[in-house]
Amino acid sequence: MGQGRLPARLGLACCLLLLLLGGSGGLGSRGPPPAPGPWEEEQGPMAEGGPWGRTRYEAVKKHLGAVGALSKQYWQYLACKVWQEGCEEEEEKESSPSPGWSLPLVGQDYLEILSAWYCSFGKCCKTGDCRIVNNITGLEADLNGQLHGQHLAKEVVVRAVQGFLQSPRPEKALVLSFHGWSGTGKNFVARMVASHLYRDGLKSECVRVFISLFHFPHHKYVDSYKAQLKKQISEIVQLCKQSLFIFDEAEKLHFSLLDAIKPFMARYDNEGQVDYQRSIFLFLSNLGGNTINEVALDFWRAGRAREEISMEFLEQRLRLELQEPEENGYARSHLLEENLIDFFVPFLPLEYHHVKLCARDAFLARGLPYTEAALDEVAGMMVFVPTEEKLFSAQGCKSVSQRINYFLP
């Protein structure tokens, strides 16, 4: 939609709104009531108090003048909500409104909706904050409907994000570390978080995605990467009161890069400075996948449902694996040592019926019909491990959407 058409559409919406708020506002242009006819004259004194009697007309006229003043207040309120220019001067002028008139709460709610409608077409404030939606209800609903086999991830992500956003002043940035095999839903959840917190999702100016081997491929340039990374994070935090940073393949990040961004995640009092405590950091890693899978396999062999696996049971095992002195940035950085990661979120391996659900979603996303036989055939194309049990999909759901191309006409 062209930007030039927005003021016209906004003006039309405001006109409709004012008509609704002002009731019969157009009556003010009709002039005085018509002279009484013969029948009205015969009514005598009753005409004075009738529908168009002189006394009633004066009362209506006075009322419409008040409605006009109220309409002006509505317009000023809406203009300040959207454009935010010259508002201080107008507020000073209107600091003493007419007695008996104030901005009704219902009307204010309508204007909040209208200003949000205007902002949905493009950025209407310098920081982009008006495009932050923080739709936790939608996030929870979509995780429940579209993320399969991950009861722990659903619960931890929703509770952690909701609690963080509801806190009036968090002690530190929220740091979540997603762990599990490839294809289990780590990237899917990260995208979903972005799309429900920001109207523009991953394209938002307040969101940045870093892929280790793509953005930081050469260790010999790590000093340059550190400077660039800190600069980008600082700029985004200054632009947005609430920012989101996603690090994919986090285990391949050089440990000095993790230490370089440590100050953005730490607890400290930065009053009067840029507020980094309103940031969210998501680290996505395959580390810990083997430990998570072993626990899931043990539960299956013991005849216990995977939904019985608890965070308390898995988190300590995850921490121990991440601390092993191998070539991974977690172990060599100070993130674990200083407890800067708030939650280690385990993604369990996916079973056959989970893969079928992913295939169903892929068919529906394309608007294609499907049958149970087709879903079974897609799931049957995947490789399942261990060799004996053939319980878990080695690729998770990663290649499911490509495999349904086989069924296209």
Side-chain angles (χ1 to χ4, degrees):
M1 180 179 297
Q3 295 295 326
R5 297 169 61 187
L6 287 176
R9 287 182 176 269
L10 184 59
L12 176 60
C14 290
C15 291
L16 293 173
L17 180 62
L18 292 177
L19 285 174
L20 289 173
L21 295 172
S24 304
L27 291 174
S29 61
R30 292 185 179 181
W39 185 82
E40 286 86 349
E41 287 181 332
E42 288 179 3
Q43 304 303 312
M46 290 185 63
E48 182 77 351
W52 281 106
R54 178 63 57 181
T55 302
R56 178 61 59 87
Y57 169 69
E58 293 296 337
V60 170
K61 183 178 179 181
K62 181 178 179 181
H63 172 72
L64 291 177
V67 169
L70 178 61
S71 299
K72 181 180 179 184
Q73 290 185 49
Y74 274 114
W75 170 250
Q76 289 173 350
Y77 177 84
L78 177 60
C80 287
K81 287 293 293 180
V82 174
W83 291 288
Q84 302 175 356
E85 295 178 1
C87 293
E88 295 181 0
E89 293 82 353
E90 289 298 328
E91 287 175 0
E92 292 176 1
K93 293 178 183 178
E94 299 294 331
S95 58
S96 302
S98 301
W101 284 108
S102 61
L103 199 60
L105 179 59
V106 174
Q108 183 171 330
D109 289 342
Y110 281 132
L111 290 175
E112 293 283 358
I113 295 171
L114 187 57
S115 62
W117 168 84
Y118 174 84
C119 292
S120 69
F121 292 99
K123 193 173 75 171
C124 64
C125 52
K126 293 180 181 179
T127 63
D129 293 335
C130 55
R131 299 189 67 74
I132 295 174
V133 291
N134 290 343
N135 182 10
I136 298 299
T137 302
L139 174 63
E140 184 174 15
D142 282 352
L143 286 176
N144 286 330
Q146 300 177 40
L147 182 66
H148 308 300
Q150 305 298 350
H151 68 285
L152 293 175
K154 291 177 185 178
E155 180 181 2
V156 175
V157 169
V158 170
R159 286 191 177 184
V161 174
Q162 184 175 36
F164 176 75
L165 295 179
Q166 289 178 348
S167 174
R169 185 163 181 80
E171 294 183 358
K172 62 182 289 294
L174 176 64
V175 184
L176 305 180
S177 192
F178 295 175
H179 297 273
W181 267 5
S182 177
T184 51
K186 300 186 298 295
N187 278 281
F188 181 73
V189 173
R191 290 196 303 271
M192 196 172 286
V193 169
S195 67
H196 285 87
L197 298 191
Y198 303 89
R199 197 182 304 276
D200 301 319
L202 294 177
K203 296 181 180 179
S204 170
E205 292 181 346
C206 302
V207 178
R208 282 293 182 277
V209 178
F210 300 99
I211 304 173
S212 298
L213 295 183
F214 179 77
H215 291 97
F216 318 109
H218 306 294
H219 286 180
K220 63 181 178 180
Y221 299 128
V222 69
D223 289 335
S224 176
Y225 295 152
K226 286 165 59 177
Q228 293 174 18
L229 183 57
K230 289 193 290 186
K231 182 174 182 291
Q232 286 192 49
I233 292 178
S234 296
E235 290 176 347
I236 294 168
V237 171
Q238 291 180 45
L239 177 69
C240 305
K241 293 180 182 178
Q242 176 186 304
S243 48
L244 172 63
F245 303 99
I246 302 171
F247 291 85
D248 196 7
E249 301 177 341
E251 75 278 4
K252 298 172 185 175
L253 281 170
H254 194 278
F255 72 93
S256 64
L257 286 175
L258 289 171
D259 282 339
I261 61 176
K262 185 182 67 173
F264 300 105
M265 299 179 278
R267 296 175 177 85
Y268 66 97
D269 183 12
N270 63 340
E271 198 165 323
Q273 303 175 20
V274 177
D275 189 1
Y276 297 111
Q277 287 129 307
R278 275 295 176 192
S279 302
I280 300 175
F281 290 82
L282 303 182
F283 293 99
L284 283 52
S285 172
N286 292 338
L287 283 177
N290 291 334
T291 296
I292 295 170
N293 294 355
E294 287 172 7
V295 170
L297 185 59
D298 289 343
F299 268 67
W300 181 81
R301 286 172 174 167
R304 301 177 63 183
R306 61 192 281 136
E307 287 73 23
E308 294 182 44
I309 302 174
S310 65
M311 278 293 296
E312 293 76 15
F313 194 83
L314 264 178
E315 190 167 22
Q316 188 59 34
R317 289 167 173 78
L318 264 178
R319 284 181 176 271
L320 290 175
E321 181 172 341
L322 295 177
Q323 290 171 351
E324 292 180 4
E326 298 180 358
E327 286 298 318
N328 80 76
Y330 282 91
R332 300 179 65 187
S333 73
H334 292 84
L335 294 188
L336 299 178
E337 178 184 321
E338 299 184 19
N339 295 313
L340 295 180
I341 297 177
D342 298 299
F343 296 95
F344 294 91
V345 185
F347 283 73
L348 303 174
L350 299 182
E351 301 176 13
Y352 184 88
H353 64 282
H354 299 133
V355 177
K356 285 183 63 176
L357 291 173
C358 291
R360 180 206 63 186
D361 293 347
F363 276 106
L364 292 174
R366 297 195 188 185
L368 298 173
Y370 65 89
T371 62
E372 281 297 316
L375 300 183
D376 280 319
E377 191 166 351
V378 172
M381 295 178 179
M382 312 297 283
V383 176
F384 287 83
V385 293
T387 305
E388 294 181 3
E389 291 87 348
K390 295 188 181 300
L391 181 62
F392 305 130
S393 170
Q395 309 106 308
C397 284
K398 197 158 193 173
S399 60
V400 164
S401 60
Q402 286 77 24
R403 291 178 187 270
I404 68 171
N405 292 330
Y406 178 78
F407 298 91
L408 298 180

